[in-house]
């Protein structure tokens, strides 16, 4: 997947044409600063990539990622000025959302299988493999990040 600078990506599966409109409503009400683009691969009828968002560059990038995946009922959301943790529960609560495959700013690969019927997501590779276990300095750095840098803990 191509993730623009300073952005996060969410990839998942949904099942209905109104996905992009419901996601737009969920995301736009999360934060007045959040910028996003949504693309959804329709799996029946005209099989179009449906799109929406409030940042045209992110809409275009979401569409390009959805094209690369090429699997029906898959959606791609790109976020800027916000994080997946801020929106995941809202997205999961949308009645047509079936699952979230990944939510990350890391390099992301989507594993896709193809049959005579079409394509489907088999899984994801999110970031890199672990290189060790955190030590005391790493624990302190994690706590500093959460408390002092992004303010998610007090």
């Amino acid at each position: 997947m191509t993730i623009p600078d300073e952005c996060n990506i969410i990839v998942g599966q949904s099942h209905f044409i109104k996905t992009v409109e419901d996601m737009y409503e969920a995301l736009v009400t999360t934060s007045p600063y959040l910028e996003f683009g949504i693309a959804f691969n329709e799996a029946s009828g005209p099989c179009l990539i449906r799109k929406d968002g409030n940042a045209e560059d992110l809409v275009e990038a979401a569409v390009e990622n959805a094209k690369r995946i090429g699997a029906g009922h898959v959606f791609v959301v790109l976020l800027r000025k916000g994080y997946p943790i801020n929106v995941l529960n809202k997205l999961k609560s949308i009645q047509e959302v079936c699952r979230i495959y990944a939510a990350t700013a890391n390099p992301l690969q989507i594993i896709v299988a193809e049959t005579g019927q079409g394509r489907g997501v088999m899984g994801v590779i999110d970031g890199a493999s672990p290189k060790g276990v955190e030590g005391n300095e790493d624990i302190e750095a994690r706590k500093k990040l959460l408390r002092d840098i992004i303010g998610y803990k007090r």
Side-chain angles (χ1 to χ4, degrees), residues 10-14 19 23 39-40 73-77 97 99-100:
I10 300 170
V11 178
Q13 185 175 24
S14 187
T19 296
M23 286 186 170
F40 170 66
H73 282 164
V74 169
F75 65 82
V76 176
V77 176
V97 170
R99 71 183 41 167
I100 304 290

Side-chain angles (χ1 to χ4, degrees), residues 49 58 92 104 108 148:
I49 298 175
L58 298 183
K92 289 182 213 176
T104 189
L108 181 66
D148 300 338

Side-chain angles (χ1 to χ4, degrees), residues 3-144:
I3 305 171
D5 291 340
E6 307 296 320
C7 287
N8 281 263
I9 189 169
I10 300 170
V11 178
Q13 185 175 24
S14 187
H15 73 88
F16 198 51
I17 192 172
K18 72 186 189 81
T19 296
V20 291
E21 292 181 53
D22 289 353
M23 286 186 170
Y24 182 95
E25 291 171 3
L27 293 170
V28 80
T29 59
T30 300
S31 164
Y33 308 106
L34 185 67
E35 296 176 3
F36 59 90
I38 305 163
F40 170 66
N41 291 343
E42 194 173 42
S44 61
C47 293
L48 299 173
I49 298 175
R50 304 296 180 166
K51 61 183 182 163
D52 209 338
N54 65 1
E56 191 56 39
D57 62 320
L58 298 183
V59 173
E60 290 174 19
V63 167
E64 288 306 311
N65 281 315
K67 282 181 189 176
R68 283 188 194 98
I69 296 169
H73 282 164
V74 169
F75 65 82
V76 176
V77 176
L78 287 167
L79 304 174
R80 185 169 48 221
K81 298 182 184 173
Y83 300 101
I85 194 171
N86 305 128
V87 302
L88 276 174
N89 282 338
K90 282 189 114 174
L91 293 178
K92 289 182 213 176
S93 73
I94 296 171
Q95 60 190 356
E96 62 266 23
V97 170
C98 302
R99 71 183 41 167
I100 304 290
Y101 294 118
T104 189
N106 294 327
L108 181 66
Q109 295 176 321
I110 307 295
I111 302 166
V112 176
E114 187 167 359
T115 70
Q117 179 176 314
R119 295 168 59 117
V121 173
M122 300 299 293
V124 300
I125 299 173
D126 182 350
S129 298
K131 297 175 179 144
V133 178
E134 70 179 352
N136 290 336
E137 287 180 17
D138 303 304
I139 292 168
E140 289 304 314
R142 170 174 42 88
K143 289 180 178 181
K144 182 175 178 58

